């Protein structure tokens, strides 16, 4: 029975902690994992652009002795109408795992139902679970296991969903402040609340960025228009301007708060230059941790841990 990683909620709280422990060990001693994926091939399919996810997965696989195949959907028969299910059936005969970046979550679910190898969500419109593994690794590095208030400010999008689920699972206090009408979807909030209740955490959703930032240990933001929403960019800028992470908002957070962004950033929109380039910013560590966290995920899914 193979495991998939389509959502943060595909792992238990204990498995999430184990994955994050493994990610820390991989980061501390990468050489110990150098040959663990020898003889394994991983197909990486991108239906949207990517810098970090593509490069970190390729390097993660190759540096553990495996063979990554980065495939743009336009180069595959997928781009000419072959179904995602048939693509999954065929690729399962060649590769040991399939990583997919796509639009609808249902495409990932269709792929996982047809594939006989593990399927990983490399971002969908619904979730970005690999990003959140790296982000939780970064938060734990900075704050240990101390009770942490994680505040997300901006669009209630894929990153927000995974962050709420992951932070709740670890028993943190997860807050999100979005403009009205741009909240995270209710099913995710409800599930995050269940996870938080089980772990001793809390989930607070609202529309006031200043209130949400008050005393936060982590301030997190993401773009106002995600991939696929480019046409809405100009109208979103008008709505989202009060949700910018700038020095005023950061001054409301805890004095040693860290600032996070999954990147790519639209500097001057959701985050200002002095904040992203300032002393609180951990965005480059977050980007680096994509590599370590995804190594841990692949080791866990492919049995090389
Ligand atoms: N954060 C992230 O997933 O970046 P890419 O879109 O560059 O992969
Ligand atoms: N919410 C963004 C994240 C990019 C990594 C998007 O989906 O475009």
């Amino acid at each position: 029975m193979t495991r998939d990683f389509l959502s943060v909620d595909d792992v238990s709280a204990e498995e999430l902690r184990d994955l994050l422990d493994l990610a820390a060990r991989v980061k501390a001693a990468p050489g110990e994992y150098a040959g663990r994926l020898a003889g394994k091939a991983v197909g990486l399919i991108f239906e949207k652009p990517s810098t970090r996810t593509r490069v970190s997965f390729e390097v993660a696989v190759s540096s553990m002795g495996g063979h990554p195949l980065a495939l743009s959907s336009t180069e595959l028969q997928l781009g000419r109408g072959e179904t995602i299910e048939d693509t999954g059936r065929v690729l399962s005969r060649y590769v040991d795992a399939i990583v997919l970046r796509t639009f609808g979550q249902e495409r990932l679910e269709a792929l996982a139902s047809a594939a006989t190898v593990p399927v990983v969500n490399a971002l969908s419109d619904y979730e970005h679970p690999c990003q959140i593994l790296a982000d939780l690794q970064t938060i734990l590095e900075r704050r240990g296991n101390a009770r942490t208030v994680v505040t997300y400010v901006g669009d209630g999008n894929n990153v927000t969903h995974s962050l709420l689920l992951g932070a709740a699972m670890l028993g943190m206090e997860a807050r999100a402040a979005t403009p009205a009408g741009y909240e995270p979807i209710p099913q995710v909030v409800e599930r995050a609340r269940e996870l938080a209740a089980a772990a001793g955490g809390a989930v607070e959703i609202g529309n006031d960025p200043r209130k949400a930032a008050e005393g936060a240990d982590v301030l997190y933001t993401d773009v106002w228009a995600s991939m696929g929403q480019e046409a809405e960019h100009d109208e979103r800028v008008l709505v989202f301007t009060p949700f910018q992470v700038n020095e005023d908002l950061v001054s409301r957070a805890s004095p040693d708060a860290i600032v996070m962004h999954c990147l790519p950033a639209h500097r001057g929109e959701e985050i200002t230059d002095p904040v992203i380039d300032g002393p609180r910013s951990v965005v480059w560590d977050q980007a680096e941790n994509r590599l370590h966290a995804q190594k841990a995920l692949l080791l866990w899914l492919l049995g090389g841990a």
Side-chain angles (χ1 to χ4, degrees):
M1 175 69 183
T2 60
R3 294 286 298 269
D4 300 312
F5 190 61
L6 309 187
S7 162
V8 172
D9 202 20
D10 282 349
V11 296
S12 67
E14 193 186 344
E15 287 170 335
L16 178 60
R17 287 192 183 278
D18 288 348
L19 269 170
L20 294 168
D21 279 351
L22 180 57
R25 281 183 273 130
V26 166
K27 183 172 183 174
E32 284 184 22
Y33 300 84
R36 300 284 180 97
L37 291 190
K40 307 267 189 201
V42 178
L44 310 160
I45 305 174
F46 288 87
E47 298 188 325
K48 289 176 177 173
S50 171
T51 297
R52 282 143 287 268
T53 307
R54 176 180 164 157
V55 176
S56 58
F57 262 115
E58 278 202 57
V59 174
V61 175
S62 60
S63 66
M64 293 192 292
H67 182 62
L69 295 107
L71 307 159
S72 151
S73 56
T74 53
E75 294 156 3
L76 298 171
Q77 297 290 5
L78 197 56
R80 295 182 56 250
E82 186 166 21
T83 68
I84 193 76
E85 290 92 340
D86 287 352
T87 304
R89 289 182 186 105
V90 171
L91 289 184
S92 296
R93 304 291 177 109
Y94 307 137
V95 304
D96 298 282
I98 306 171
V99 176
L100 172 64
R101 168 168 288 196
T102 191
F103 292 85
Q105 186 78 2
E106 64 283 355
R107 252 176 111 61
L108 278 153
E109 281 159 12
L111 174 64
S113 70
T116 55
V117 297
V119 173
V120 172
N121 180 355
L123 180 147
S124 66
D125 293 342
Y126 182 67
E127 269 207 57
H128 196 1
C130 294
Q131 176 69 50
I132 264 45
L133 284 183
D135 296 342
L136 293 173
Q137 180 177 6
T138 309
I139 293 171
L140 293 181
E141 283 171 356
R142 296 285 173 155
R143 312 209 58 93
N145 277 306
R147 182 153 177 81
T148 302
V149 177
V150 178
T151 292
Y152 177 93
V153 176
D155 184 28
N157 61 16
N158 44 9
V159 169
T160 324
H161 292 160
S162 296
L163 182 66
L164 289 175
L165 293 168
M169 215 178 255
L170 294 189
M172 297 174 180
E173 181 177 332
R175 302 178 186 164
T178 72
Y182 295 90
E183 290 89 354
I185 68 169
Q187 298 95 300
V188 173
V189 174
E190 195 183 316
R191 179 62 185 145
R193 289 208 162 107
E194 285 171 13
L195 292 167
V203 175
E204 296 293 331
I205 309 296
N207 306 115
D208 183 345
R210 294 175 166 211
K211 183 163 167 251
E214 212 62 58
D217 302 301
V218 177
L219 269 186
Y220 196 126
T221 192
D222 184 16
V223 291
W224 291 338
S226 286
M227 289 180 275
Q229 297 173 331
E230 288 80 3
E232 295 173 35
H233 173 265
D234 293 356
E235 77 186 68
R236 280 174 173 257
V237 168
L238 301 177
V239 176
F240 279 86
T241 296
F243 292 79
Q244 182 183 66
V245 174
N246 51 32
E247 284 165 308
D248 174 55
L249 197 71
V250 172
S251 73
R252 292 165 191 275
S254 142
D256 58 354
I258 55 173
V259 175
M260 303 183 76
H261 191 310
C262 57
L263 305 176
H266 286 64
R267 288 165 174 262
E269 291 188 8
E270 75 276 1
I271 194 162
T272 59
D273 283 334
V275 171
I276 195 169
D277 296 326
R280 311 287 193 83
S281 169
V282 297
V283 301
W284 317 117
D285 289 345
Q286 273 181 271
E288 178 187 330
N289 284 340
R290 297 294 304 276
L291 176 66
H292 310 301
Q294 285 158 200
K295 280 187 179 178
L297 178 66
L298 291 168
L299 289 167
W300 184 69
L301 289 172
L302 296 175

